[in-house]
Amino acid sequence: MKIYILGLGAGSIDIISKKGYELLKKEDIKKIFRTKEHEIIHELAKENIEFETMDYVYLSEPNFESVYEKISDIIIEKAKQYDEILYAVPGSPFITEDTTNIIIKKAQNENIDIQVIPSVSFIDAVICTIKKDPTKKLYITDIFNIDKSRINPLNNIMISQVYDRFKASELKLMLMDRYDDEQEIYIITSAGGKDEKVKTVKLYEMDYSDNEYSHLTSIFIESVEDKKYNDIEDLRNLLRTLRGKNGCPWDKKQDFSSMAKYVKEEANEVADAINNNDMDNLLEELGDLLFEIVFLTNLAEEKGIFSFEEVVDEIVKKMIRRHPHVFENMDISGKNVEDIWQEIKNIEKQPKNS
C-alpha cells in the first residue's frame, strides 16, 4: 500500500512539479483532493482528470481539528481499498497543512508507504509577488495559529489564510498592539495564480470594506527599525549596556547587597500607588520594580548563578504546581483554595532526600 501526498502549488498549473503533474495524469491511480477550492482544479477538469474531494467533511465536523482527523482516516481507508492513492493538497504538503503529518503518523501504524511530492508554497509565491527577500528575519504562520509573542516588528511577518474581513479586523487589533496605525501592510490574494492581487494599505485600513479577502489571502508586514513599544529584551540589553565597559559608574558598582534596599523601596511605592488608586503612578512604579528585578537577574547572569530565563521558568512551574484545580482538573469541592496552596508550598519546602 502506498500514499502519494502531492502539493498542488500556490496557483497556476504552470508551477506544479513535473513529478506531480505526471501523477495527476496517471489514469490507474485513485486521486483525492483535500479541497476543490484551488485555481488548479479548473485546469485539471479541462484535461478530464478524475478526482474526488474532501470538501463535504468540512460540513459534517464541528471544528478544523476534527475535519483533519476525519480526512486523514478516510485517506488511510482509501489506501487500503485501492492499494495506491494520490492525496493532493493546496500549496506545499507541509506548510500550513495539518493533514500531511496526521496521515504520515497513521500510515506508519498501518505499514503504509508514504511518498511526499513537494511543490511551490504560498511563501515562495508571496515573496515573488512582493519582490522582496524577507527570509533572514521571518515569522510565518496562519490565521489560526498565531503566537502573539512572536509578532516582533523587527522581523518580517507573513500570515496566511486571512479568509474574511472579520478575521482581518481581529488581526488588525492584535497588530495594533505592536505597530503604529500607519504601518504599511501588504494584502496578497492568489499569489502565484492567474488571479493574483496585491494591495498596500495602512494598518488602520486593513478591515475596510474595499479590501478583498479569501482563503487564499496572506498578509505581509516588512520589518521596521523603530518599534511601537520596547519589550523585555530591550530592558535586558539596557542593563547590559549600563553595566558594560562604557556604562554608568554607579550601575557598575552595584551588587546584590546594595540593591536590596532599592527593591524594597520600589515594592513599597508600588503598594502606595495601589492604595492611592493612582493608575498613572502605578504604571511608572511597576516599571521601576521591573527594572530592579531585571537588574538582579543581570547580576546573577554575570556571576553564572542563574539566568532571567530560569527565573521565569521557575515561577511558571511553581504557579502550575500550586493551581492543580486549574491545570490538573483537581476536584476542590469543599476545599479552600488557600489551604491547597499552603499544603503544596509546605511539601515544596520539605528537605529533599540526598
Side-chain angles (χ1 to χ4, degrees), residues 76-332:
I76 295 299
E77 291 306 311
K78 292 288 185 181
K80 294 177 181 178
Q81 179 182 353
Y82 292 95
D83 193 56
E84 185 178 69
I85 68 169
L86 171 64
Y87 174 62
V89 300
S92 168
F94 285 106
I95 298 178
T96 65
E97 178 56 53
D98 291 336
T99 59
T100 298
N101 284 319
I102 300 174
I103 290 171
I104 289 174
K105 185 176 181 179
K106 292 179 183 291
Q108 289 173 342
N109 294 334
E110 299 287 347
N111 293 318
I112 299 174
D113 187 27
I114 293 283
Q115 182 176 346
V116 180
I117 298 92
S119 192
V120 174
S121 74
F122 81 93
I123 299 171
D124 305 274
V126 167
I127 288 173
C128 291
T129 297
I130 62 177
K131 298 178 176 62
K132 299 177 183 291
D133 178 10
T135 55
K136 292 180 181 178
K137 292 183 177 180
L138 178 61
Y139 171 52
I140 303 171
T141 186
D142 59 50
I143 195 68
F144 306 103
N145 297 292
I146 297 174
D147 180 352
K148 191 174 180 179
S149 67
R150 297 186 65 188
I151 302 294
N152 185 339
L154 298 181
N155 295 335
N156 297 295
I157 309 294
M158 191 182 299
I159 303 172
S160 68
Q161 300 181 47
V162 186
Y163 58 84
D164 62 25
R165 196 155 54 89
F166 296 105
K167 279 296 179 184
S169 184
E170 291 176 2
L171 179 58
K172 180 184 82 169
L173 294 176
M174 179 191 298
L175 294 174
M176 280 182 166
D177 289 338
R178 298 286 192 273
Y179 296 90
D180 291 326
D181 295 353
E182 296 282 333
Q183 174 66 40
E184 186 177 79
I185 68 167
Y186 293 83
I187 303 175
I188 305 116
T189 301
S190 300
K194 292 181 179 179
D195 298 325
E196 176 182 279
K197 295 178 183 178
V198 58
K199 185 178 182 181
T200 305
V201 300
K202 302 296 185 183
L203 177 56
Y204 71 87
E205 302 172 323
M206 187 171 163
D207 56 354
Y208 281 15
S209 59
D210 57 340
N211 298 324
E212 297 181 12
Y213 289 94
S214 75
H215 64 286
L216 297 177
T217 299
S218 297
I219 297 295
F220 177 76
I221 310 173
E222 195 167 9
S223 61
V224 298
E225 293 184 1
D226 298 318
K227 297 185 293 185
K228 185 175 182 178
Y229 299 114
N230 289 308
D231 56 30
I232 192 67
E233 288 304 316
D234 294 312
L235 183 55
R236 295 178 70 188
N237 288 331
L238 173 71
L239 257 301
R240 295 182 186 113
T241 300
L242 289 175
R243 288 182 55 81
K245 181 179 180 181
N246 299 315
C248 171
W250 186 91
D251 291 288
K252 291 167 68 174
K253 72 178 183 180
Q254 300 308 310
D255 57 22
F256 288 114
S257 297
S258 67
M259 290 300 297
K261 65 177 180 179
Y262 300 116
V263 175
K264 184 181 293 186
E265 286 176 6
E266 297 302 343
N268 288 333
E269 289 177 3
V270 167
D272 289 342
I274 294 172
N275 292 333
N276 294 327
N277 196 30
D278 188 342
M279 293 300 107
D280 290 336
N281 186 232
L282 180 60
L283 169 65
E284 179 182 350
E285 297 302 339
L286 284 172
D288 291 345
L289 182 57
L290 180 60
F291 179 83
E292 305 302 333
I293 293 170
V294 174
F295 202 121
L296 291 170
T297 58
N298 187 78
L299 288 175
E301 287 175 342
E302 290 175 356
K303 297 178 179 298
I305 303 172
F306 55 77
S307 68
F308 180 81
E309 287 78 10
E310 288 175 289
V311 172
V312 175
D313 183 65
E314 178 61 29
I315 188 58
V316 170
K317 289 177 179 177
K318 179 187 287 185
M319 290 302 107
I320 291 174
R321 287 196 307 270
R322 295 192 184 180
H323 292 83
H325 52 293
V326 176
F327 298 103
E328 299 178 10
N329 297 319
M330 176 183 177
D331 184 7
I332 60 171

